[in-house]
Amino acid sequence: MLNSKIPAGSLDKKWEDYKGHCKLVNPANKRNMEVIIVGTGLAGASAAASLGELGYKVKAFCFQDSPRRAHSIAAQGGINAAKNYQNDGDSVFRLFYDTVKGGDYRAREANVHRLAEVSGNIIDQCVAQGVPFAREYGGLLSNRSFGGTQVQRTFYAAGQTGQQLLLGAYSALERQVALGNVTMYNRHEMLDIVVIDGKARGIIARDLITGKLERHFGHAVLLASGGYGNVFYLSTNAMGSNVTAAWKATRKGAFFGNPCYTQIHPTCIPVSGDHQSKLTLMSESLRNDGRIWVPKKQNDTRKPSDIPEDERDYYLERRYPAFGNLVPRDVASRAAKERCDAGYGVGSSKQAVYLDFAFNMDRYGRIEASKRQISNPSADEIRKLGKEVVAEKYGNLFDMYAKITGENPYEVPMRIYPAVHYTMGGLWVDYELMTTVTGLYALGEANFSDHGANRLGASALMQGLADGYFVIPYTLGNYLAGEIGTKAYSLDHPAFIEAEKNVQSTIDKLMNIKGTKSVDHFHKKLGKIMWDKCGMARNEQGLKEAIVEIQQLRAEFWKDVRIPGDANEFNPELEKAGRVADFLELGELMCVDALNRRESCGGHFREESQTDEGEAQRDDANFSYVSAWEYKGESQFELHKEALEFVECKPTQRSYK
Amino acid sequence: MEHYNMNLTLKVWRQKNADAQGKFETYPVSGISSEMSFLEMFDVLNERLINEGKEPIAFDHDCREGICGACSMHINGRAHGPWAGTTTCQLHMRAFKDGDTLTVEPWRAGSFPVVKDLTVDRGAFDRIIEAGGYVSVNTGNAQDANNILVPKDDADAAFAAAACIGCGACVAACKNSSAMLFVSAKVSQLALLPQGQPEKKSRALNMIAQMDKEGFGSCTNTGACEAECPKEISLTNIARLNREYINAGFTYEK
């Protein structure tokens, strides 16, 4: 039975009551408690720093050469917080409401409310660390809008907000390393969880430089290992982002929540050819100042500048007048796909739409001209002044676009298309962020809890830091208070020996295949199956085919993959092989979950479930639950359901019209 | 923009591990699209090497968006290659033409030992941050974020310094393998903000001491670091670091 351990009481008092009543560990005992943290992105680094400050003995692991390189660094647009600094009607309740609604009523109310409650503390903490957020001339913090909301609550640092927040958490982490409270294991990959008497007690990690397997004990194990978007091969994730830690946990008994909830981000640079290794996001914040359009005529090959205003279809503004270009990500992505599938796409691939800044550049230009008291400015002058304003807001994004495409977005509209960006699904956790394995926790994108079926922009950074700075320091203590009598287990305990042996035998098996095809060959094939049949739109037949195809591909992988080099050295191909092997199992579960969920919700459009106008049709009567899947052996998964109850936010058909 | 294909000759540094003797290997590559990124060209080469039963070339990379700071190739004598303000992962093949020969090396600096091929160990940078690249504020201590006003110009200048991605190009570009641009970026960010004031003296002294301990060379103000920095971190940060360091040296009492 799934117990989400949501505290009793009214929604706005649950967290306060929890904090007031949870068990504490005294400082002397904290010094004897060891905590393992896997992953050093926003969630992992903030947890490691905060727990180190409290006095726990923390060991943190990352596969990169430094914790500062975790993929949180690439988040561009911003971080939400219910500060209401703009006096535009924001509040904790509004942030909570927008997030539950944006998630298409598939998130847990109590968790989301807690997230909204601590959102303001995150901004305070980051500013205190020296994170240089954007500011107004008066010295106050600046805000901007993001999709799915009607207030300005997003804090940002140009288009590099994730970088600045991560470097803040990283510096707090390194401070604890210097103080001896955290031991950092760079270039280490976790390859199994060690479970003793039903409790997580350690991990097996591979030193990626020497290839040596290591055993590490912890009174508790925290996974902050990120999302699994790379199952699609092409995504906006970093090349190394992977599901391995979460998947090993799944195989050790942790349930996997809502695996099929993938976020397809509407504004990415389109695919240019078969050589493509990854996709690049253009921040959602650009939709504040860019207008999305396609030609009104199908297969229009004219240059965008040659298409007159009245022959352009600003389809988001047309279909969703209330939110316009700022509809949530799932809505914007589906609308772009609809236009392209109908033959209105642009660019050589026809799989792209325009994101055009000309209109707002001129608007800003006129404001600037007015500020500088330039009377009757020429069109060129206005454009020049407008460009300066846009460059200050988004300069790094425009530069990145120019480098990748060879086109100048100040002169011609950007071409964009949806791409896999984030995974709302992840390890199932209760209110305390504990998985179904006692003592094993999941934080940040690695868990499933806060975003339902669709994450709103600028919410991922908020969740990662909420979990690490403000939630886990309380909930972990509540568990460890009962563990103060537990001595560190010997690393020669049979469970450690057994786990290491299993990891070693998997590595040996991979190295001994000596097949003919590279790891990437299999990864690309898997990605294509997932994108075609478990991507933005899915149907029963396609999903059933995908499951068979993935099983076949997995069998082929284990017969024919070629991994050069040796296991006892730095071997990036071996690392990739292990990760792709796990993606080949996860991909199947994603399709199984998508097949089970015969409704459209959030980023997940089930073709059998749509309204007469072709909008997504949710089915609350039958699917208002979290799907938590238990691993029972290869291709065998058992579904457990956590019913979702909505007390404050009654589900309605989402409307952004 | 016109797309074209090209054939190239690559001379790549191969070194099995930190202790092994390394050498250049020559690889002809053909049919490279001008639309590819530089690392995608390496992906193509590595795929071929694997198919030929050879070992692929090891190189650090992760985000491929120019922000994580993992990629680190020295291309034709320049850190991150010929484009200004660009990381290797964002360098695209239209920077080159058919028939070009490209020499690709790892960062060359004693403080960044080679791990394998083009991969180096930049752990020294983490240790420099450990020495003082932070504000000592525990979680939960903070006051409301708008209580302290920060002039926009200071916030902007702090952000420009904080944009450093810790890739190590400044060290690789410097004839002395100095890490001054990296250190100055962090010291400047925090020296420019009110939150960084209480520890500014000890921070400058301790980070410089750690930098020296790691074996990085001295700064002789040639400006190669600024010219090669993919995030265009300004040399004025080094001037600020020098001011902070000298001031701290005269006035810090402990």
Side-chain angles (χ1 to χ4, degrees):
Chain A
M1 244 330 260
L2 283 172
N3 179 3
S4 51
K5 291 198 250 169
I6 296 169
S10 70
L11 199 57
D12 56 341
K13 293 284 182 298
K14 286 178 194 291
W15 181 234
E16 210 179 310
D17 281 355
Y18 179 91
K19 285 194 292 182
H21 296 97
C22 65
K23 285 179 261 177
L24 301 173
V25 181
N26 89 23
N29 284 328
K30 283 197 187 102
R31 287 194 284 275
N32 297 320
M33 314 285 313
E34 298 181 55
V35 180
I36 285 174
I37 300 178
V38 179
T40 58
L42 286 179
S46 59
S50 303
L51 296 173
E53 288 160 9
L54 287 173
Y56 292 110
K57 285 204 290 198
V58 177
K59 296 187 203 176
F61 296 78
C62 70
F63 69 79
Q64 298 91 343
D65 71 324
S66 162
R68 67 179 293 151
R69 308 211 197 281
H71 191 53
S72 304
I73 199 120
Q76 297 170 353
I79 176 166
N80 287 332
K83 283 286 198 185
N84 195 29
Y85 284 159
Q86 304 306 321
N87 193 32
D88 57 357
D90 202 7
S91 63
V92 166
F93 184 84
R94 281 229 194 249
L95 174 53
F96 153 76
Y97 180 85
D98 286 345
T99 307
V100 172
K101 178 188 173 194
D104 216 357
Y105 304 96
R106 290 292 175 267
R108 199 189 272 155
E109 271 194 338
N111 287 53
V112 179
H113 201 277
R114 176 177 64 191
L115 178 67
E117 285 172 57
V118 303
S119 64
N121 303 109
I122 296 171
I123 303 302
D124 300 341
Q125 185 65 31
C126 294
V127 166
Q129 287 170 344
V131 170
F133 283 118
R135 288 182 183 267
E136 304 293 348
Y137 282 102
L140 295 163
L141 290 160
S142 177
N143 289 117
R144 61 186 173 199
S145 299
F146 253 64
T149 68
Q150 290 176 313
V151 295
Q152 291 191 307
R153 65 161 73 101
T154 304
F155 295 78
Y156 63 100
Q160 290 156 249
T161 318
Q163 181 199 24
Q164 294 309 315
L165 296 177
L166 182 65
L167 293 182
Y170 158 78
S171 59
L173 165 68
E174 291 296 344
R175 176 173 160 246
Q176 293 306 311
V177 172
L179 293 170
N181 298 324
V182 177
T183 308
M184 192 60 229
Y185 293 85
N186 298 340
R187 291 201 201 268
H188 275 66
E189 183 159 33
M190 188 215 95
L191 292 175
D192 209 358
I193 308 271
V194 177
V195 179
I196 300 175
D197 299 331
K199 292 178 176 176
R201 292 299 189 193
I203 64 169
I204 305 297
R206 181 169 177 267
D207 178 333
L208 299 180
I209 304 273
T210 62
K212 212 170 138 326
L213 297 182
E214 298 172 0
R215 305 169 194 173
H216 294 276
F217 166 81
H219 287 86
V221 177
L222 277 49
L223 302 184
S225 47
Y228 50 87
N230 268 344
V231 69
F232 289 88
Y233 185 71
L234 285 182
S235 81
T236 65
N237 285 188
M239 302 301 285
S241 298
N242 66 80
V243 77
T244 288
W247 193 251
K248 302 303 186 197
T250 305
R251 293 186 65 145
K252 279 285 163 89
F255 294 1
F256 207 103
N258 299 331
C260 82
Y261 286 169
T262 309
Q263 176 161 82
I264 316 280
H265 195 292
T267 52
C268 300
I269 300 176
V271 175
S272 71
D274 291 336
H275 53 78
Q276 193 107 17
S277 60
K278 75 153 286 173
L279 297 172
T280 302
L281 176 75
M282 287 286 108
S283 166
E284 176 169 331
S285 59
L286 294 173
R287 284 199 274 143
N288 273 309
D289 290 319
R291 299 176 70 197
I292 293 176
W293 63 276
V294 291
K296 280 187 179 164
K297 220 169 67 192
Q298 282 171 324
N299 299 314
D300 195 333
T301 51
R302 286 177 291 176
K303 285 195 295 194
S305 53
D306 292 343
I307 301 178
E309 197 60 28
D310 61 353
E311 293 179 39
R312 300 176 177 190
D313 177 15
Y314 295 90
Y315 59 87
L316 288 176
E317 297 170 26
R318 170 171 59 80
R319 289 176 65 180
Y320 307 101
F323 281 70
N325 292 296
L326 284 175
V327 291
R329 293 174 173 180
D330 54 337
V331 177
S333 290
R334 264 201 305 282
K337 180 179 182 332
E338 188 276 329
R339 282 292 85 185
C340 294
D341 289 352
Y344 297 92
V346 299
S348 52
S349 67
K350 299 285 169 203
Q351 292 290 303
V353 299
Y354 289 127
L355 178 61
D356 195 338
F357 298 90
F359 179 83
N360 282 300
M361 257 189 293
D362 288 346
R363 185 170 64 87
Y364 285 128
R366 281 191 295 273
I367 295 170
E368 270 315 289
S370 163
K371 268 206 297 209
R372 298 181 197 186
Q373 311 215 352
I374 304 171
S375 49
N376 298 321
S378 69
D380 284 351
E381 243 178 320
I382 290 174
R383 184 57 69 90
K384 183 173 161 290
L385 291 168
K387 268 183 204 170
E388 287 169 11
V389 176
V390 167
E392 184 173 339
K393 287 184 155 189
Y394 312 112
N396 69 316
L397 301 173
F398 276 51
D399 290 350
M400 201 183 335
Y401 183 87
K403 276 170 199 159
I404 292 171
T405 64
E407 292 174 357
N408 180 354
Y410 292 102
E411 304 293 338
V412 296
M414 287 184 179
R415 285 173 296 110
I416 52 156
Y417 196 69
V420 174
H421 180 54
Y422 185 89
T423 48
M424 283 74 67
L427 292 172
W428 184 91
V429 290
D430 60 22
Y431 189 73
E432 300 185 300
L433 305 182
M434 196 192 283
T435 68
T436 50
V437 174
T438 306
L440 179 65
Y441 293 77
L443 285 67
E445 191 179 352
N447 75 29
F448 88 103
S449 75
D450 292 1
H451 307 297
N454 174 55
R455 181 176 63 76
L456 290 181
S459 287
L461 303 184
M462 173 172 66
Q463 186 220 341
L465 291 179
D467 287 358
Y469 282 135
F470 296 109
V471 178
I472 200 73
Y474 292 89
T475 63
L476 185 66
N478 195 41
Y479 169 67
L480 290 179
E483 295 289 329
I484 51 173
T486 307
K487 294 264 179 301
Y489 280 87
S490 157
L491 296 177
D492 293 326
H493 187 285
F496 274 102
I497 293 171
E498 174 75 15
E500 184 185 315
K501 211 176 78 190
N502 289 339
V503 171
Q504 187 64 54
S505 82
T506 303
I507 291 173
D508 293 344
K509 200 170 150 195
L510 283 167
M511 293 306 296
N512 287 328
I513 298 169
K514 301 188 191 303
T516 63
K517 306 253 169 42
S518 70
V519 177
D520 282 354
H521 166 87
F522 293 98
H523 197 175
K524 284 181 189 177
K525 280 193 150 180
L526 174 65
K528 183 156 172 35
I529 299 171
M530 296 302 295
W531 179 248
D532 288 345
K533 296 178 174 169
C534 195
M536 260 191 286
R538 310 132 184 218
N539 60 53
E540 179 170 340
Q541 191 197 341
L543 289 165
K544 284 182 170 162
E545 288 165 6
I547 290 169
V548 175
E549 288 167 28
I550 293 168
Q551 288 170 348
Q552 286 166 347
L553 186 65
R554 191 165 65 225
E556 204 189 317
F557 172 89
W558 283 102
K559 271 210 306 274
D560 200 24
V561 72
R562 173 182 285 177
I563 303 163
D566 205 314
N568 301 315
E569 62 174 355
F570 184 59
N571 189 339
E573 285 298 311
L574 175 59
E575 296 165 30
K576 278 199 282 187
R579 294 167 193 163
V580 171
D582 292 331
F583 280 136
L584 282 162
E585 296 185 16
L586 168 80
E588 180 179 356
L589 177 60
M590 289 170 72
C591 294
V592 168
D593 184 42
L595 187 60
N596 171 71
R597 193 166 280 278
R598 287 184 63 92
E599 64 159 352
S600 297
C601 65
H604 167 141
F605 188 68
R606 186 67 186 260
E607 288 170 358
E608 296 93 326
S609 180
Q610 48 182 304
T611 65
D612 295 340
E613 292 117 37
E615 299 282 345
Q617 176 85 57
R618 225 174 50 229
D619 178 358
D620 290 331
N622 294 303
F623 292 100
S624 188
Y625 61 79
V626 176
S627 303
W629 296 90
E630 181 179 5
Y631 181 87
K632 295 283 210 179
E634 190 177 337
S635 294
Q636 290 172 293
F637 304 99
E638 187 182 329
L639 175 63
H640 302 263
K641 297 177 183 176
E642 179 199 342
L644 290 169
E645 284 170 43
F646 295 93
V647 180
E648 295 285 345
C649 263
K650 291 291 178 201
T652 54
Q653 188 67 31
R654 276 196 309 166
S655 172
Y656 292 95
K657 294 181 175 175
Chain B
M1 169 147 295
E2 275 309 300
H3 306 309
Y4 56 96
N5 282 348
M6 65 194 97
N7 300 327
L8 302 164
T9 304
L10 289 180
K11 290 185 172 172
V12 183
W13 185 257
R14 300 301 307 262
Q15 183 173 336
K16 192 158 176 55
N17 55 48
D19 305 322
Q21 183 79 40
K23 66 175 189 332
F24 282 105
E25 292 270 356
T26 303
Y27 304 96
V29 289
S30 55
I32 297 298
S33 160
S34 61
E35 286 187 288
M36 282 184 197
S37 71
F38 196 79
L39 296 185
E40 284 166 350
M41 186 263 296
F42 263 77
D43 293 342
V44 170
L45 172 58
N46 274 348
E47 179 76 14
R48 192 186 87 202
L49 292 175
I50 293 167
N51 288 333
E52 289 170 355
K54 296 177 184 151
E55 268 211 56
I57 299 156
F59 59 93
D60 263 327
H61 65 111
D62 202 19
C63 78
R64 296 203 179 189
E65 294 184 15
I67 194 75
C68 75
C71 63
S72 52
M73 295 179 185
H74 215 82
I75 303 161
N76 282 353
R78 296 190 60 183
H80 293 299
W83 283 358
T86 307
T87 55
T88 297
C89 67
Q90 293 288 285
L91 175 64
H92 276 64
M93 294 310 291
R94 59 179 181 279
F96 304 102
K97 55 185 197 300
D98 191 37
D100 278 356
T101 296
L102 310 180
T103 305
V104 186
E105 300 164 80
W107 286 167
R108 289 180 303 177
S111 305
F112 291 160
V114 171
V115 172
K116 185 176 184 176
D117 298 338
L118 303 174
T119 305
V120 299
D121 177 357
R122 287 167 286 191
F125 273 11
D126 286 338
R127 292 187 291 274
I128 290 174
I129 296 295
E130 276 165 42
Y134 46 74
V135 173
S136 295
V137 52
N138 283 1
T139 304
N141 278 192
Q143 58 176 339
D144 187 89
N146 259 347
N147 274 6
I148 301 177
L149 300 181
V150 181
K152 184 174 188 309
D153 291 343
D154 290 350
D156 288 350
F159 171 75
C164 168
I165 57 176
C167 65
C170 47
V171 174
C174 177
K175 65 188 167 74
N176 304 326
S177 297
S178 169
M180 280 289 273
L181 194 64
F182 169 77
V183 176
S184 72
K186 185 51 73 181
V187 166
S188 286
Q189 175 202 341
L190 298 175
L192 283 159
L193 295 171
Q195 291 82 6
Q197 298 310 306
E199 297 167 286
K200 64 186 266 182
K201 292 177 185 174
S202 59
R203 179 180 303 117
L205 295 173
N206 293 342
M207 288 180 74
I208 291 283
Q210 187 64 31
M211 180 184 86
D212 291 344
K213 200 168 139 192
E214 297 287 349
F216 292 103
S218 301
C219 175
T220 46
N221 277 311
T222 61
C225 51
E226 180 189 57
E228 299 289 43
C229 174
K231 294 294 142 182
E232 299 177 317
I233 304 293
S234 165
L235 211 54
T236 57
N237 289 304
I238 294 184
R240 187 177 295 106
L241 171 61
N242 284 331
R243 285 200 300 276
E244 293 290 330
Y245 183 75
I246 290 166
N247 178 44
F250 279 119
T251 61
Y252 189 57
E253 290 174 20
K254 197 166 187 184

